[in-house]
Structures are given as C-alpha cells and as structure tokens.
Amino acid sequence: MKVLITGTEGYLGCLLAAFLLRQGYDVTGMDTGFYKAGWLYNGVDLAPKTVNKDIRHITLDDLQGMDAVVHMAELSNDPTGQLAPHITHEINFKGSVRLAELAKQAGVSRFVYMSSCSVYGFSTEPEGASEASPVDPQTAYAKCKVMVERAIAPMADDDFSPTFMRNATAFGASPRMRFDIVINNLAGLAWTTEKIKMNSDGTPWRPMVHALDIAKATLCVLEAPRDMIHNQIFNVGDTSNNYRVKDIAEIIADIFTGCKLSFGSISADRRNYRVCFDKINTQLPGFKCEWDASRGAQQLHDLFTRIDLTEEMFHFRGYTRLKQLEYLIRTQQIDQDFFWKPL
C-alpha cells in the first residue's frame, strides 16, 4: 500500500512513518518543517522520503497513485490554537478539508484523519464519552477537529472511505519530542527539578494513549476490511487509561524517586472528561493498547537517563509547539499567514 503521511517530522508522525515502513508500507512524508529543531535523540531506524510542503499548497499531483492518506499535519494543541485562531482555522479546517477533497479526486481510497478526544471538552457521562456522545469543544483546536469531521464525513462513498481517529492525549518518547503534553511535561519536571508543582488540584479527568499505540491503531485502520472502517469514528485508547491529573502526577513521582509533589487550587480550565474506548477494542481487528501511564513514565525515565536530559534541553523551544511558533514569528521566518518567508 502506498501511503502519504502528512506531518512526518512531528511528534507522532516520525514514529508512525517508521512503524509503517517496518511493516512493508511504501510511505511518502509531507511536512512544513516548523519543528525541525526539535530532535531529542536518534530513536527511529527508518524514515520516509519527505516533501517539505505546507498542506495548503498540496496539489492533485502530490496525491496521484496513493492508496491512503494519513493526515496529522495541523497546528497542534490548545495554546497554539489560541495564538492565532484565524490561522488555526485556515490550516486545521480549510487545509484539512481541501486535502480530503483532493485525495478523493485523486482516487485515494482511504483517508485517515487524526482527530482528538478533546472534542468532548466537558463531559459528565459516568461511563465515559463514546463516539455517539455529544461533543463540547472548548478551544479553537478542538472546534476545528469537530468541523473537519463534519465536513469530510459526507464525502464518503463507494470509492472513498474516511476514518476519524479521536486520539486520547498522547504521551511517550519520540525523537521529535514534545514536552508540552501532560505526562511528558510532568516527567521532564520531575527529572530536571525533582519537583512537580501542580497549579491545580489535579481532579480533572483526562484519557491518555501512548504514541506507539496510536501508530498501532493507524496500522489496524489501514489493514481492516473496508466495511469496518468506512466513515467510522474511533476513540483511540483504552478505558483503563483514563486518569485524574493528580493520579498521573503521583505515578510519575513514584517512578522518579526523590521527586516532591504538591498541588494547587481548583483550575479555571473547564476541560474534564473520561472517554469510553469499547468500540475500538471490540470492532477494530488487532487493536489493543500495550502501554499505560506507568510504563510510559518508566520509558521516559530510561530515556532521560540515557541522554542525560538537562533543564536547558527540557526548556528548549523546539520541544514546545507554542515556543517554536513564537520564535519563527519573532525572527520573521514565517509571515502573518504562517508561510515561510524567502530570504
């Protein structure tokens, strides 16, 4: 199968590309290159040929001959979305929908869209939000995810099968590391400062999923019979991996021995949701999460030991999406529309 992956120089993309190449897939990558600086360690044995291109510039020719597109190249996470909501809309919504339209025109049969469990926003369902639950996105990033799902779903037909992967919050080691996601961030603080000082009381719930389990889910979607994935939404994760933020902090503090843990007051952040992952675990052949927060924290501890992670490395802009984009704007390497500026 020939697969185009957008975002192959990202946190998830570099792991997914190597994973699919090892399975024998013919992978082409595409990435705008915003996060080239964020390389923490040499941890992937294979990398695809990657075209340096913004998804807003993708043409029909880029998609000819592809059997599938896995699309994850968007401005990621909530702080980035708040930095420039109008550009988030242009890239994450308009760019993603246009890519799906071009893929359909090019005869691509499978389109896998990386959505997010953040679309649930604030949910009080005791068993966790399922794919059929109402969505309540709280941020520009999450709102765009919902809009893309709703715009692409009607494109489905006998020749074009979109699948929407609502990933839980990712964690775990990646060469293109991110320290602006909760488990990775708390582990980095525990290692570099021996303190986890929470700004909130840690009571809100969040679902978590390891980056490699997201790669595994993507493989399962690509290999599943068409009728199982056609125009389907899958929450990606495992119900046992719903955690309160304080539970995550305590798990990390136990593994990073000597780390002092403290909590603050109730946060103004309304996001609080548990997610039900029964569908993916019963209806997608071959999928089962292999990682939980404890194993992921141990992986991070082992990585930090191996590379001798310093506080300077931990705070480097290349590992935090907002810092890196602010740097590119400040140095005028990208313009007001987030396109690269020629010298």
Side-chain angles (χ1 to χ4, degrees), residues 134-145:
V135 294
D136 185 20
Q138 301 290 307
T139 62
Y141 171 76
K143 289 173 183 176
C144 281
K145 293 294 189 187

Side-chain angles (χ1 to χ4, degrees), residues 19 209-210 212-218 220 235-241 277-292 295:
F19 186 73
V209 65
H210 195 280
L212 291 176
D213 284 328
I214 295 175
K216 182 179 179 181
T218 307
C220 291
N235 292 336
V236 180
D238 191 277
T239 303
S240 65
N241 285 341
F277 298 96
D278 289 350
K279 181 177 178 180
I280 193 170
N281 283 281
T282 58
Q283 297 184 31
L284 187 63
F287 180 75
K288 183 176 177 57
C289 282
E290 298 179 10
W291 294 78
D292 60 14
R295 185 182 175 199

Side-chain angles (χ1 to χ4, degrees), residues 100-140:
E101 292 171 341
L102 289 174
K104 184 172 179 176
Q105 290 177 39
V108 176
S109 60
R110 298 196 181 200
F111 188 91
V112 183
Y113 177 65
M114 292 290 173
S115 188
S116 169
C117 283
S118 66
V119 301
Y120 298 117
F122 182 83
S123 175
T124 58
E125 295 188 45
E127 301 301 319
S130 74
E131 292 82 352
S133 298
V135 294
D136 185 20
Q138 301 290 307
T139 62

Side-chain angles (χ1 to χ4, degrees), residues 47-317:
K49 177 186 73 175
T50 294
V51 179
N52 188 209
K53 181 178 282 193
D54 191 297
I55 64 164
R56 292 170 289 178
H57 290 157
I58 288 177
T59 67
L60 202 58
D61 286 344
D62 293 319
L63 298 163
Q64 295 292 351
M66 295 295 169
D67 299 302
V69 170
V70 179
H71 176 43
M72 58 178 70
E74 295 181 338
L75 294 180
S76 59
N77 85 358
D78 297 325
T80 300
Q82 298 307 115
L83 171 68
H86 63 296
I87 300 300
T88 297
H89 186 268
E90 290 294 313
I91 296 173
N92 293 18
F93 174 61
K94 289 186 178 180
S96 296
V97 173
R98 178 177 172 273
L99 174 60
E101 292 171 341
L102 289 174
K104 184 172 179 176
Q105 290 177 39
V108 176
S109 60
R110 298 196 181 200
F111 188 91
V112 183
Y113 177 65
M114 292 290 173
S115 188
S116 169
C117 283
S118 66
V119 301
Y120 298 117
F122 182 83
S123 175
T124 58
E125 295 188 45
E127 301 301 319
S130 74
E131 292 82 352
S133 298
V135 294
D136 185 20
Q138 301 290 307
T139 62
Y141 171 76
K143 289 173 183 176
C144 281
K145 293 294 189 187
V146 173
M147 292 166 62
V148 172
E149 290 183 10
R150 291 175 175 173
I152 294 177
M155 300 181 199
D157 60 21
D158 291 344
D159 300 312
F160 184 71
S161 296
T163 306
F164 308 100
M165 294 174 56
R166 289 180 179 170
N167 300 318
T169 300
F171 67 91
S174 168
R176 296 281 183 189
M177 194 60 179
R178 286 184 61 183
F179 284 124
D180 55 359
I181 43 184
V182 61
I183 290 182
N184 296 359
N185 179 261
L186 295 181
L189 287 170
W191 176 265
T192 58
T193 70
E194 296 187 336
K195 296 178 183 177
I196 298 178
K197 188 175 182 180
M198 302 287 294
N199 293 323
S200 71
D201 62 357
T203 57
W205 288 87
R206 295 285 191 279
M208 300 288 154
V209 65
H210 195 280
L212 291 176
D213 284 328
I214 295 175
K216 182 179 179 181
T218 307
L219 175 67
C220 291
V221 167
L222 293 173
E223 297 197 336
R226 177 182 175 277
D227 62 337
M228 292 184 175
I229 55 86
H230 178 72
N231 215 13
Q232 292 294 309
I233 298 171
F234 292 101
N235 292 336
V236 180
D238 191 277
T239 303
S240 65
N241 285 341
N242 283 295
Y243 301 94
R244 292 177 300 174
V245 177
K246 66 178 298 183
D247 298 332
I248 295 169
E250 289 167 353
I251 289 168
I252 292 170
D254 285 343
I255 289 172
F256 288 76
T257 54
C259 174
K260 296 180 180 178
L261 177 60
S262 63
F263 297 95
S265 57
I266 296 174
S267 172
D269 188 344
R270 289 187 69 245
R271 292 173 303 159
N272 182 22
Y273 55 96
R274 280 176 283 187
V275 175
C276 175
F277 298 96
D278 289 350
K279 181 177 178 180
I280 193 170
N281 283 281
T282 58
Q283 297 184 31
L284 187 63
F287 180 75
K288 183 176 177 57
C289 282
E290 298 179 10
W291 294 78
D292 60 14
S294 180
R295 185 182 175 199
Q298 185 63 57
Q299 180 199 37
L300 292 171
H301 185 279
D302 294 345
L303 170 64
F304 299 163
T305 302
R306 189 173 77 177
I307 67 172
D308 192 19
L309 181 76
T310 65
E311 195 164 357
E312 181 182 11
M313 293 162 65
F314 173 60
H315 290 296
F316 176 59
R317 57 177 165 76

